[in-house]
Structure formats: structure tokens, C-alpha cells
Amino acid sequence: MKLKKLAQLVALMGVVGPVMAQEAAAPAMQRVEVTGSSIKRVAKEGALPVQVITFDQIEKQGITTTEQLVRTLSANGTGADNMTSGNNVFGADADRVSGGASFASLRGLGPSSTLVLLNGRRIATHGASGKSVDLNSIPLGAISRVEILKDGASAIYGTDAIGGVINFILKTNYSGVEASVSTNDTQAGGGATRRASLLAGTGSLESDRYNIMASLTVDKAQRLNGSDRSFVNGYQPGRGLSPDTTGTPFANQMAGAGTALGASFQLPGDANKYLQANPLSFQGKCDSIAGMSQYQTELWKDVTSPLRTKYSCAYDYGADYVLQFPVERANLLSRGTFQLAPDHRMFVEVLGSRTKATAILTPMQVQATIANKNLYPVGGAYYQDLSAYIPSFDKTKPISYKWRANDVGNRTQENTTDNARVLVGFEGNFGKWDYKAGISRAESSTKTKLTDGYSYTDKLYAALATGIINPWVGAGQSQTEAAKQLIESTKFRGDFQHGKTTLTQIDGSVSGELFQLPAGALAMAAGFDLRREGYSFGQDVDAIQILLAPGNAALKDASRTVKAVYAELLVPVTKDLEMQLAIRRDDYSLVGATTNPKVAFRYQPTDFLLFRGSASKGFLAPSFQQLYSGSLSQELPNGVIDQEGCAKHPGVPEYCAIDRLDYKTGGNTNLKPETSKQGSVGIVIEPVKGYSASFDYWAINTKDRILNRTPQIVLTNYQALNQYIHRNPDGTIEYVQAGWINAAGSRVRGLDVGLRGEGKIRDAKWTATLDGTYMDSFKFAEYQGQEYQELVGKFYTRDLYLRWKHNASFGVSRGDWSGLLIQSFSSGYKDQVPNGGKGAPPPGFKPDVSSYTTYNLSGTYTGFKNTTITVGIQNLFDRDPPFTAHNVDEVVGAGWDPRVADPRGRSLSFQLKYKFM
């Protein structure tokens, strides 16, 4: 069979990705299995768009983690699934048990809708959250390439892959010893990374009938603090940004019956009844304490009640975030392959990894109230008399206050995740028929220790009630030694919670040619996939006893069986038209059975023109945690407004400035599976040899999308979701029921663009590529009955759906030298408007967040024997993240957004690789 140039272009079913100059081409007649099909065929033919990234490309870009790699994909979403966002409990929609983990989210449809595979097989999901595969568990140093199937709902791998498939292909049959070390240091300091890897193998399948190889990679990321970067600044009121919190290191006093301020207080000539006060606010000196400022009431008056904030100080706690927390990873892969007969092989693969991530959160916020029995006592050494400012102040009563407890320390969690998989497989062929089979066992377990910043509630409250601890430490002052010892005596340190996921899998498939048709051979594949999935999550101590303890409610051992069978046909209709027909049936023991088809075509009327397309259905079952996690009671920050109640009772604090509103979250056993209908149509052209372009338009419609409904969403949409607002007999809110629901769905449209050019200038070779995604539309309805809302190009608290993202590259090679320039671009979007979008923002507020462009430059030299040296500069022009005025209570990032940008700034990378044999 003669391969045409266009077939070579459609590498592994149409990839036009960042392929660099030194990529090695496969032998012309090699038959391989490519992501998206189980039928082996001559390489580089197919009907579906697949992007391929080689390990050589990854190294030259200075990429050291799988998270960094996935973030370079234009098809990946722009969401809070990265480790920086996961390091903070920043809202009721946060994943509170994924500290130290990162996830992929193709098309922005969420981690659960992206299927992550290792050599075409599933691996265990993250041990704590259980929602998807933790990218840290992938042995990046051992991979050969990554294949990204951008066409979702794969009938071959699983129709739960609604967003698509990322398949990490490991090195096999390696002989020799290779060691490498790499460093990456930021110019501004902090956030350095180090990496060392060793790859060794012996034996040849062809001559020795065996090959045994092993790979070990160890890497470490150092801490990067918000204080290390000037753009991390949450107090820029002229631009529409200021902290929306009154939990301050120099505490704000709070009103309450039986306290010094009483139920409320009034000032001479002012009829308003206020609920909070700070002497520094009356003096105009809030900013005398580092990080504090006068609360900007006008910016948030319709979000947080002015009755609580007008005479209060605020604190820029978002600037205290740790932007990159300390992480240590070790990945080990061992594989032995044995030639049983000329056409039959057996292999044993053992994979193990450990990730130790130290999540460092901002200090806790403490409320001193009568109910908590922790008021500051009358006669205490630090009793704060506000009589000079508030005539009604009763200094015979104790003080209620809200305090950012910096002296207790940063809340520090040590998350250790261990992953392991053992796989025994067989593969080979009988004539023109190929087969493969495997049995595997995979586990992922996460253990969380609390190492600082957490206290037993009763002990801390009792300590505060003594008056020894000073909640009003001024500039240049500190707690006494007695207070420090008292605080230390309240702390909890030790094992806190643990989670575990398991996956036992047996799979097999056969493929080959059935018979000849006039246009060619009719090929088929059939296979099965039997899985037993398990999940458990629990606490090592009673979390109720620990103030503001993280995590979810316990979930005892849960398991389910999934039985799947699938079949695929490759039908040559004419010499130019090929059809791919596939069908898959999945039977979930706890959810039910579903059958989903897929149809794809590939039409090549001329050597320089190819058309392709597909249509399929998807099915995503709810996860264990979404179904069965227990009810967890939490609190919203002060000042929440009950829109319905406040309209009926204007100015009444119980409705218009609620103190610590309770809400509940948890699983929902009534959840339905999420389903989808999707398709794509594309064209690949090569008008001139060496120059090509691909355009693939895709659409995904989901129904019954599984989402975590936040209490803020319930309160905002109280007219439609009033049944989830539980009220007391007097009409005040008792609590809000949040948690997992089936949202109405989403309608997503976009275009993937791939451009490639290559050539020679004298004895130098060059390659230029671009891989981009244009998001045409992302319409979404939060609940049944709500009108679909367009989210592209607009601020949103879950994901940002940017209009355009791309990665472009230009590579040059000549002799022992090669160079690579990478451009990454993300378009801008409409920013979140202060004050909930009500009223006029300040004159300095700009409604548009600017685009974000960075450049990476690297050079590689191979002139020394067995040695490769690569030096690179990431973020060549030291571009700061674009400014955004979003409320840090809803999305991480004070003045910037980690969903879009990298906070590390310009960095220098160096890699040395040496082959011993």
C-alpha cells in the first residue's frame, strides 16, 4: 500500500500539533493501533482528529509536570483544576479534598468528562476526590508520546469521555541506560523546580526474546508566596478591586445582644443601626496594619451589607495565598516484555508513584460570640473600649469580634497520594488478526495530615475567653509568650482523613480483516472491558472537634461493576471514502445499562484534500461521591443577603446582613447520568508539499449535567430554587441546601485549527506549527427551566470559556544544534463587575481582562558524545498575568487569575541528558 503525503499529514488520525523538527517518522508500512480505534492499520491514516506530542517536544519546552503539559493544550479548559487553585478553600464550590492534585478538563466540561488513559487502559482516579485521574500520577519521564483524541464519547474507550481522551503512551523495548537532570529557576525568586530521572533497559525482543526496562523520576517544586509577586494585590479600589472580608488580624468588633456593642449601635445624627466597628476605621488608620485597609463599602454595598462594613477594616487575605506550594513526586515504572513465540508477546508492567504536596492555606477566621462562649472578657488586659466613638458602647459587657487568626498560623495540610498499578498483558497476531488482553489492579490512596494552623474548637474558644490572647495586636507588636504557649496548646496536629479508590480490570480485543470489498478490505474489531471500581473516604479523627476542618463527610466502602462490550467496523465504501462504525454497551451495576453508537467518515477525493467527520452519543455515570457522600454542614461569610427576606424587611440584619449563614452539602442518590450528543466535521488541505492546514468544527450537547450547586446560586435564584431555602418559623433562613444536582445541560460549539509548514534553507531545517481552539459558543443552564446563558468571553466562577487559545511554534535544526520558539496565547474576556454588577463601578474599572501571551525559547546541543544539553527561557518577556477585579471570595487570585496565567514569571531551565550505552 502506497502512503500519500496527505495520509502522512493526518498523523494518527489527523493530528496537526506542535511537531518539532527532530520528530522521528514511523516506518512507512508499520501497522499500529492509534487512539480512537482498535483496528491496527498502516500508520498515519484515520478519520478522527488526534493531537500527538512527543517526549522530545515536552523536554524542549521546559515542561516538568503533566499539569504543565495539559495546560498547553488549546482544547483543555480554562478552569480551577490546577494545583494553585486547589490550594485554597475559596468558595462553596471548591473541591475541598483535592489538595495536591490536578486534573484535565477537555472542552471545559470538567475532569469527570475527560478520560485519561495509560497505554490505552484506565488507571485509578484520585484517592481523595475520586472524580478523575490525578495528573501527578502519570510518569512523565517514562512516556514516549501523548495522544489527545479531541473527538469525545469514544465507543472504544468509554462513552464517559464526553470531552475527549488523553492517552499517555509509555516507552517500551528500551535498551541502554540514560540519565537526565533538569532545573528551572525563576528570575524573581521562589517556585524553583528540580528533576532527575533514570531510564534503563536490557534485552531485545528480536534477538533475546525479552526486554526489561525501568524508569525512575524524582522531582521537587519549591514554595512560591503571593508576597513574592507584585501583581498579587487585592487592594486596588480605583480599579474595582478590594477585599470583601472583615476578618482582620486587628479584629473588628461585632454587635450582638449581651455584648459591648449591643444588638446594634447608632452614631449621632445617623438613623442607621450598625453591626460592626473598628477603632482604626474611625481613625482612618486601617492601613497601619500590614495587609489591612478601610473596607470599601461602595464597591460591595449590594453584596455585603453596609451596616456591617462602613466602620470596619478589611484584610487582603488573597495576597497571602501560596501560589505554588511545596511538592515532591516520585514515579517508578518497570516493564518486562517476553517473546513467547514469533507473533505472541507477554508483558508485565508495574507502576508506582508518590506525591507529597504541602497545601498551605491562609489563617483561619474566628468569630467570638455568646453562642461560641469565646467573647473577650471585661477586665482583660487588651479590652478595647470604643466609648470615644460609639456613645452606646457598654464597657461592662464582653466584646464580640471577628479575627483573622494569623497568630494561630497558616492552615497547613500534608497530602500524600500513593498510586500503584500492576498489569499483565498478552498481545500478538494470528496471521492478519491481532489480539490483546490484559488484567490489572490499580489503587490510589490519599492521606491528609494537619501540621499547623488548626485548633480544637473547644480548646481555642476557651483560650480566647481567658483574655490572654490579644486579637488587637498593633503594628510592631506581638503576642506575649504566655499567649503563644496558650495558642500552641489548642492546636491539632496529626492524621486527619484518608481516601482510596480501586480499579480491577479485565479487557481484551481482536481485530483484523473480514473479507475484501471492491474498494479494499472490510476490517473489524471487537472487545470487552470488565471493571470493578471502589471508593472509600473517612476521617482519622472527629472532624467536628477541629475548627474549620477541611474535607468532606465520610463515605464508607462503595463499589460497582461495569461491564462493557464494543465493536468497530472499518468500511471502505469507495477508494476515496472510508467509514468507521462503532457501538458500545455499558452496564453499570448501580446506574443501569446504556448503548451508544458512533459513526465517522474519512473522504479523500484528491491527494491534497481530505474531509472527515463523526457523530456519537455519550453517557457519564455519577461518581461515588456525587451519589453517596454524607451531609456536611458549613457556613458562609458574614453579610450574606437574603434577597427575598430583605425585600420584605429592609434594613433588618437577620435578612439583610446575615451572620454566618449555615448551608449543607452532600451526595444525591437521585442523580441521573449525564448524557450527550456530539459530532464534528473537518477538512485537511495540503496545497503545497510541506504546508498544510486542518479545520475541525465540533459540537457537544449535554443533558442532565452533574454539577455542584452552591448556596450562593440557590440564594441568587431563590424564585426558582426556593424549595432549597429552609426557613425558621419567623421567616429567617435556617440553612440552605446545596450539593450535587442534575443541571439542565450545556451546548458547546467550537473550531480546532491546525497549521503546519516545514522546509529547508540551505542545510538548516525548519518547522512551524500552530494548534488553536476557537470557542464559538458555550451555553449553559444552571437548573431546569432556566434560560441558557452564553458564557464565552465572560467571567464565570467555575471555568472561563475563552474565545481563542493557541500554541504556535517555530523550530530550526542544523547539525548538532536546534532551537525552538513557542508562543502561547489566551484571549481576554469580560471581567466580573464589582458589587454584583449593580450600580456604577469606579472610573478606573476596565470591563475587559486583557489577553495573555507568553513566549518560551530553548536551544539544544548534541555535539558531545551521548550527551544532550538543553537551555531554555520560559516567559521570555516576563509577562505578568493580566489584571482582573474578580472577588477573591469566589475565585482564587488577588488581582490575577490562576486559571489563565502562570505566576512564576520569567524562568531559566537547564537540562542535561547522558546515555551510557
Side-chain angles (χ1 to χ4, degrees):
M1 177 179 180
K2 182 179 180 181
L3 280 179
K4 299 181 180 180
K5 180 63 181 179
L6 186 59
Q8 294 177 339
L9 163 70
V10 191
L12 298 172
M13 297 181 296
V15 56
V16 181
V19 181
M20 309 311 170
Q22 296 186 357
E23 180 181 354
M29 294 303 294
Q30 179 183 359
R31 290 200 308 159
V32 297
E33 180 183 328
V34 291
T35 300
S37 173
S38 286
I39 299 174
K40 287 191 175 182
R41 65 187 78 180
V42 176
K44 301 184 180 180
E45 292 184 2
L48 304 177
V50 175
Q51 180 179 351
V52 178
I53 303 174
T54 67
F55 186 66
D56 181 59
Q57 299 163 25
I58 294 170
E59 288 189 312
K60 287 182 177 179
Q61 292 183 65
I63 293 172
T64 57
T65 69
T66 312
E67 178 186 297
Q68 290 177 333
L69 171 63
V70 170
R71 291 191 71 169
T72 67
L73 304 177
S74 65
N76 194 58
T78 309
D81 302 303
N82 56 80
M83 296 180 74
T84 300
S85 294
N87 188 34
N88 304 279
V89 180
F90 59 88
D93 199 29
D95 186 347
R96 299 169 63 88
V97 293
S98 64
S102 61
F103 306 97
S105 176
L106 292 177
R107 307 304 188 197
L109 291 172
S112 298
S113 296
T114 298
L115 184 57
V116 176
L117 303 174
L118 198 61
N119 279 353
R121 288 183 167 93
R122 296 177 183 245
I123 52 180
T125 56
H126 183 243
S129 71
K131 65 181 180 181
S132 190
V133 172
D134 178 13
L135 296 176
N136 291 305
S137 67
I138 304 297
L140 192 63
I143 70 168
S144 172
R145 65 185 185 277
V146 185
E147 299 175 357
I148 302 97
L149 175 61
K150 299 180 182 181
D151 186 79
S154 170
I156 306 304
Y157 302 111
T159 49
D160 53 344
I162 292 175
V165 179
I166 302 179
N167 191 8
F168 292 89
I169 309 297
L170 300 175
K171 294 182 175 76
T172 57
N173 199 26
Y174 179 84
S175 182
V177 179
E178 176 183 299
S180 69
V181 293
S182 64
T183 65
N184 190 295
D185 293 273
T186 63
Q187 178 178 318
T193 63
R194 304 285 184 265
R195 182 178 177 185
S197 64
L198 179 67
L199 176 65
T202 183
S204 168
L205 287 177
E206 290 75 17
S207 58
D208 303 319
R209 300 184 62 184
Y210 76 91
N211 176 260
I212 298 175
M213 58 165 285
S215 169
L216 174 64
T217 302
V218 178
D219 60 288
K220 182 177 183 179
Q222 297 177 0
R223 177 172 173 172
L224 174 62
N225 296 315
S227 58
D228 295 333
R229 296 294 182 266
S230 61
F231 57 80
V232 181
N233 179 7
Y235 183 69
Q236 303 182 59
R239 304 173 76 177
L241 174 64
S242 71
D244 181 24
T245 179
T246 56
T248 51
F250 190 95
N252 286 293
Q253 288 197 29
M254 296 168 51
T259 68
L261 283 180
S264 62
F265 66 90
Q266 291 180 279
L267 299 178
D270 189 343
N272 289 315
K273 296 181 178 181
Y274 295 101
L275 304 172
Q276 210 159 278
N278 193 307
L280 297 180
S281 175
F282 287 110
Q283 299 168 20
K285 295 182 179 179
C286 286
D287 58 359
S288 65
I289 307 296
M292 284 177 49
S293 60
Q294 175 62 44
Y295 189 96
Q296 302 297 298
T297 299
E298 286 300 310
L299 271 181
W300 304 110
K301 61 183 180 181
D302 293 301
V303 174
T304 302
S305 174
L307 301 176
R308 189 172 295 282
T309 64
K310 186 174 182 178
Y311 297 106
S312 297
C313 296
Y315 181 62
D316 186 12
Y317 73 99
D320 287 343
Y321 283 150
V322 173
L323 310 183
Q324 176 180 292
F325 54 88
V327 181
E328 298 178 3
R329 302 182 189 87
N331 286 281
L332 173 66
L333 170 71
S334 179
R335 180 184 174 103
T337 308
F338 308 95
Q339 194 80 32
L340 303 178
D343 297 321
H344 305 280
R345 294 173 300 281
M346 171 188 174
F347 63 90
V348 179
E349 188 176 280
V350 179
L351 172 67
S353 69
R354 166 166 286 190
T355 301
K356 183 179 178 181
T358 305
I360 305 170
L361 314 180
T362 54
M364 69 173 68
Q365 185 174 274
V366 177
Q367 299 252 65
T369 65
I370 289 179
N372 289 337
K373 300 179 181 180
N374 58 352
L375 297 177
Y376 194 85
V378 176
Y382 310 106
Y383 189 89
Q384 190 181 74
D385 184 0
L386 298 186
S387 299
Y389 310 102
I390 302 171
S392 62
F393 187 87
D394 187 351
K395 55 187 178 184
T396 66
K397 299 286 195 308
I399 298 174
S400 175
Y401 59 90
K402 180 159 52 170
W403 179 46
R404 175 69 63 171
N406 286 5
D407 294 306
V408 179
N410 288 325
R411 288 171 284 179
T412 307
Q413 308 167 12
E414 184 182 282
N415 300 286
T416 302
T417 300
D418 293 317
N419 293 276
R421 187 182 78 163
V422 177
L423 167 66
V424 178
F426 299 86
E427 58 187 17
N429 61 278
F430 294 95
K432 293 185 177 181
W433 286 87
D434 301 296
Y435 72 89
K436 65 176 183 178
I439 180 170
S440 63
R441 170 73 176 186
E443 294 183 356
S444 177
S445 62
T446 298
K447 297 180 180 179
T448 299
K449 292 182 178 180
L450 304 185
T451 59
D452 199 13
Y454 291 95
S455 293
Y456 287 103
T457 304
D458 291 345
K459 288 184 178 181
L460 180 61
Y461 285 177
L464 294 174
T466 65
I468 297 173
I469 299 170
N470 182 9
W472 299 287
V473 175
Q477 299 177 345
S478 63
Q479 298 284 352
T480 65
E481 284 302 315
K484 292 178 182 178
Q485 292 176 14
L486 184 57
I487 289 173
E488 184 63 30
S489 70
T490 70
K491 289 186 178 181
F492 169 82
R493 289 187 172 93
D495 294 338
F496 176 66
Q497 63 189 16
H498 57 274
K500 182 178 180 179
T501 62
T502 59
L503 174 65
T504 303
Q505 182 176 18
I506 302 175
D507 65 88
S509 68
V510 295
S511 67
E513 298 179 358
L514 290 174
F515 50 81
Q516 289 290 323
L517 295 175
L522 175 69
M524 67 82 66
F528 68 92
D529 178 9
L530 305 178
R531 306 193 305 274
R532 181 72 174 178
E533 301 172 346
Y535 177 68
S536 63
F537 184 84
Q539 276 86 28
D540 299 297
V541 297
D542 183 3
I544 297 176
Q545 298 181 22
I546 302 170
L547 184 60
L548 298 180
N552 293 336
L555 171 61
K556 293 184 179 180
D557 291 342
S559 62
R560 67 185 177 196
T561 301
V562 185
K563 305 172 184 176
V565 292
Y566 61 88
E568 176 188 4
L569 284 176
L570 199 63
V571 185
V573 181
T574 69
K575 67 180 183 67
D576 300 324
L577 175 63
E578 180 180 271
M579 298 292 296
Q580 180 185 355
L581 309 175
I583 192 168
R584 182 184 182 95
R585 181 172 176 81
D586 294 274
D587 189 349
Y588 289 79
S589 60
L590 301 177
V591 179
T594 177
T595 301
N596 296 283
K598 183 162 192 170
V599 179
F601 75 91
R602 176 187 183 278
Y603 177 57
Q604 185 179 348
T606 68
D607 289 348
F608 61 85
L609 182 64
L610 180 144
F611 298 96
R612 60 188 177 200
S614 69
S616 59
K617 290 185 177 182
F619 179 93
L620 176 61
S623 70
F624 292 115
Q625 192 176 102
Q626 291 166 348
L627 286 169
Y628 305 120
S629 61
S631 179
L632 183 69
S633 296
Q634 300 174 69
E635 294 178 333
L636 286 172
N638 273 356
V640 172
I641 297 174
D642 171 9
Q643 296 186 31
E644 181 181 15
C646 190
K648 297 176 181 178
H649 308 276
V652 178
E654 289 77 10
Y655 298 96
C656 303
I658 304 173
D659 183 14
R660 308 298 286 182
L661 179 64
D662 291 332
Y663 71 94
K664 297 181 179 181
T665 60
N668 181 357
T669 56
N670 295 319
L671 284 177
K672 295 182 290 185
E674 182 177 327
T675 58
S676 70
K677 293 181 180 179
Q678 51 209 100
S680 66
V681 61
I683 182 174
V684 184
I685 56 176
E686 188 189 29
V688 179
K689 183 178 180 180
Y691 296 85
S692 59
S694 69
F695 304 90
D696 291 279
Y697 187 81
W698 47 269
I700 305 171
N701 290 347
T702 66
K703 182 181 177 182
D704 296 323
R705 192 174 176 196
I706 303 171
L707 289 178
N708 193 9
R709 178 194 53 225
T710 69
Q712 291 95 328
I713 290 172
V714 174
L715 291 169
T716 301
N717 301 281
Y718 67 92
Q719 294 171 319
L721 301 176
N722 207 37
Q723 68 270 32
Y724 301 110
I725 301 175
H726 297 261
R727 297 185 179 272
N728 296 305
D730 62 358
T732 58
I733 297 178
E734 179 186 4
Y735 68 92
V736 176
Q737 181 63 58
W740 295 101
I741 64 166
N742 286 112
S746 59
R747 300 168 184 170
V748 193
R749 308 285 185 271
L751 177 71
D752 290 330
V753 178
L755 306 175
R756 173 171 176 157
E758 59 181 19
K760 293 183 65 175
I761 301 177
R762 296 183 180 178
D763 55 349
K765 298 179 181 179
W766 63 269
T767 301
T769 69
L770 180 144
D771 180 74
T773 297
Y774 177 85
M775 185 73 76
D776 181 44
S777 177
F778 197 113
K779 290 185 177 181
F780 171 68
E782 187 77 47
Y783 53 86
Q784 296 290 344
Q786 184 187 46
E787 184 178 350
Y788 277 74
Q789 305 173 50
E790 179 61 72
L791 300 179
V792 173
K794 301 177 182 179
F795 174 86
Y796 194 55
T797 55
R798 288 198 187 95
D799 284 56
L800 292 172
Y801 301 99
L802 304 182
R803 183 68 69 184
W804 174 258
K805 293 169 62 177
H806 78 246
N807 279 284
S809 70
F810 182 77
V812 179
S813 63
R814 181 177 182 271
D816 296 326
W817 293 90
S818 64
L820 178 65
L821 177 66
I822 300 265
Q823 181 201 61
S824 297
F825 175 84
S826 298
S827 62
Y829 56 94
K830 294 292 182 183
D831 204 357
Q832 184 181 34
V833 182
N835 194 32
K838 300 176 182 179
F845 173 73
K846 294 183 179 180
D848 297 307
V849 178
S850 64
S851 61
Y852 182 62
T853 307
T854 59
Y855 293 87
N856 298 342
L857 178 66
S858 68
T860 300
Y861 180 68
T862 58
F864 300 118
K865 184 178 179 181
N866 298 333
T867 304
T868 301
I869 300 173
T870 300
V871 178
I873 302 176
Q874 289 71 46
N875 198 349
L876 180 63
F877 300 108
D878 200 21
R879 171 72 188 275
D880 282 343
F883 173 80
T884 166
H886 72 254
N887 188 345
V888 73
D889 277 345
E890 297 179 347
V891 173
V892 172
W896 73 291
D897 197 325
R899 297 178 296 176
V900 174
D902 184 348
R904 300 176 75 248
R906 182 188 291 132
S907 63
L908 175 68
S909 64
F910 174 81
Q911 183 188 63
L912 175 65
K913 182 189 295 185
Y914 184 79
K915 294 184 178 181
F916 294 91
M917 293 184 258

